Amino acid sequence: MFIKQLSIFVENKSGKLGEVLQILSNEGINIVSASLADTNDFGVLRLLVSDAKKSYEVLKSKGITSSVNDVIGVCVPNETGGLAKVTKLILDQGINISYIYGLSVGNNTADIVMKTDDLAKTEAVLKAGGVKMLEM
């Protein structure tokens, strides 16, 4: 099962991140996980939220550029080499991993979200490898 992720382009200026977060908060949108990668001029804020479609629409109405895309949530064993084992399953099939970031949904695993160039194949490979998938 794929998870809807909200990617927001945030100008790298004081207060811009807070502005986006406040807009979502004002709309009653809960942020489950966040990752921010920056450059000199802007950042890409990736969020898992309670309502990705509503978030997108609200931000669009405020003139903030965002997109909604699919990612995969993976329960990585919380042990040495856990992430290496999971990613090896994917990489051995020739699938590129674009990015990974961590999150916690209250279980005893080191959960991650990932974007690959073939989500359906990634999901099939991981399930065949006995990797538990997150559902949100």
Side-chain angles (χ1 to χ4, degrees):
M1 178 174 142
F2 302 150
I3 298 170
K4 297 294 181 193
Q5 172 190 264
L6 182 67
S7 296
I8 307 162
F9 299 95
V10 182
E11 195 174 4
N12 197 357
K13 287 187 178 176
S14 181
K16 293 297 183 176
L17 174 62
E19 177 185 339
V20 169
L21 298 177
Q22 191 61 56
I23 289 168
L24 297 175
S25 176
N26 291 347
E27 293 295 324
I29 296 166
N30 184 42
I31 298 171
V32 177
S33 181
S35 170
L36 179 61
D38 70 324
T39 66
N40 287 336
D41 298 325
F42 70 94
V44 178
L45 177 62
R46 293 184 172 105
L47 301 176
L48 301 184
V49 295
S50 56
D51 190 332
K53 183 178 178 182
K54 179 180 177 183
S55 300
Y56 171 81
E57 294 298 332
V58 167
L59 292 171
K60 183 178 177 182
S61 75
K62 303 285 186 183
I64 297 172
T65 302
S66 66
S67 63
V68 176
N69 54 25
D70 291 328
V71 293
I72 293 179
V74 181
C75 299
V76 177
N78 193 4
E79 61 191 29
T80 302
L83 182 58
K85 291 174 191 172
V86 169
T87 58
K88 184 175 183 338
L89 290 170
I90 298 161
L91 299 172
D92 283 352
Q93 295 298 311
I95 301 169
N96 181 53
I97 299 172
S98 303
Y99 56 81
I100 293 174
Y101 60 91
L103 70 151
S104 177
V105 291
N107 53 31
N108 195 28
T109 56
D111 304 330
I112 62 168
V113 169
M114 69 172 62
K115 175 74 172 168
T116 69
D117 59 2
D118 190 335
L119 290 174
K121 185 174 180 182
T122 300
E123 182 179 46
V125 166
L126 292 174
K127 284 183 176 179
V131 177
K132 182 180 175 193
M133 307 300 288
L134 287 173
E135 296 185 20
M136 296 182 69

